[in-house]
């Protein structure tokens, strides 16, 4: 069962933390008992309240890496640059803009 939430929230064992989507990667031809067992774990953990998605290990791994490498890393750096440019174009000191964008 793969949780789709930050590690800090993963560590907390509260009903709110349990209400995040989960993936359960199984083989291409999973046994009916494996699927039933995965759903039982999901229900026991409270995962079914937010949703459980059936996927393969390969699909989950590749989409997770894409999200981390392309969206998160690439997107964040462009957002920082855009914030810096916006502040400096508005007349703020580059040093102040830099610390504001990099600090938050």
């Amino acid at each position: 069962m793969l949780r789709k939430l930050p590690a800090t929230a993963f560590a907390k064992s509260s009903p709110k933390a349990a209400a995040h989507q989960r993936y359960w990667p199984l083989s291409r031809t999973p046994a009916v008992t494996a699927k039933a067992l995965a759903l039982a774990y999901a229900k026991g953990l409270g995962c079914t309240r937010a949703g459980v998605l059936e996927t393969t290990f390969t699909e989950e791994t590749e989409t997770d890496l894409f999200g981390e490498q392309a969206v998160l890393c690439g997107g964040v750096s462009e957002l920082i640059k855009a914030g810096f440019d916006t502040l400096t174009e508005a007349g703020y000191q580059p040093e102040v803009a830099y610390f504001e964008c990099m600090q938050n």
Side-chain angles (χ1 to χ4, degrees), residues 70-98:
V71 177
L72 180 61
C73 296
V76 169
S77 63
E78 288 302 314
L79 187 59
I80 291 169
K81 288 180 194 176
F84 177 82
D85 292 342
T86 300
L87 289 172
T88 54
E89 289 169 8
Y92 293 96
Q93 297 178 56
E95 296 82 6
V96 173
Y98 173 82

Side-chain angles (χ1 to χ4, degrees), residues 47-94:
C47 306
T48 56
R49 291 179 289 161
V52 177
L53 304 172
E54 185 172 359
T55 186
T56 65
F57 185 80
T58 302
E59 181 180 54
E60 197 287 326
T61 302
E62 290 174 357
T63 57
D64 188 53
L65 288 172
F66 176 82
E68 290 171 359
Q69 294 175 358
V71 177
L72 180 61
C73 296
V76 169
S77 63
E78 288 302 314
L79 187 59
I80 291 169
K81 288 180 194 176
F84 177 82
D85 292 342
T86 300
L87 289 172
T88 54
E89 289 169 8
Y92 293 96
Q93 297 178 56

Side-chain angles (χ1 to χ4, degrees), residues 11-42:
K12 297 177 185 174
S13 59
S14 69
K16 184 177 180 181
H20 289 275
Q21 68 184 22
R22 307 302 198 284
Y23 293 110
W24 83 74
L26 299 173
S27 67
R28 290 182 188 216
T29 55
V32 175
T33 55
K35 184 174 182 178
L37 182 61
L39 285 172
Y41 273 110

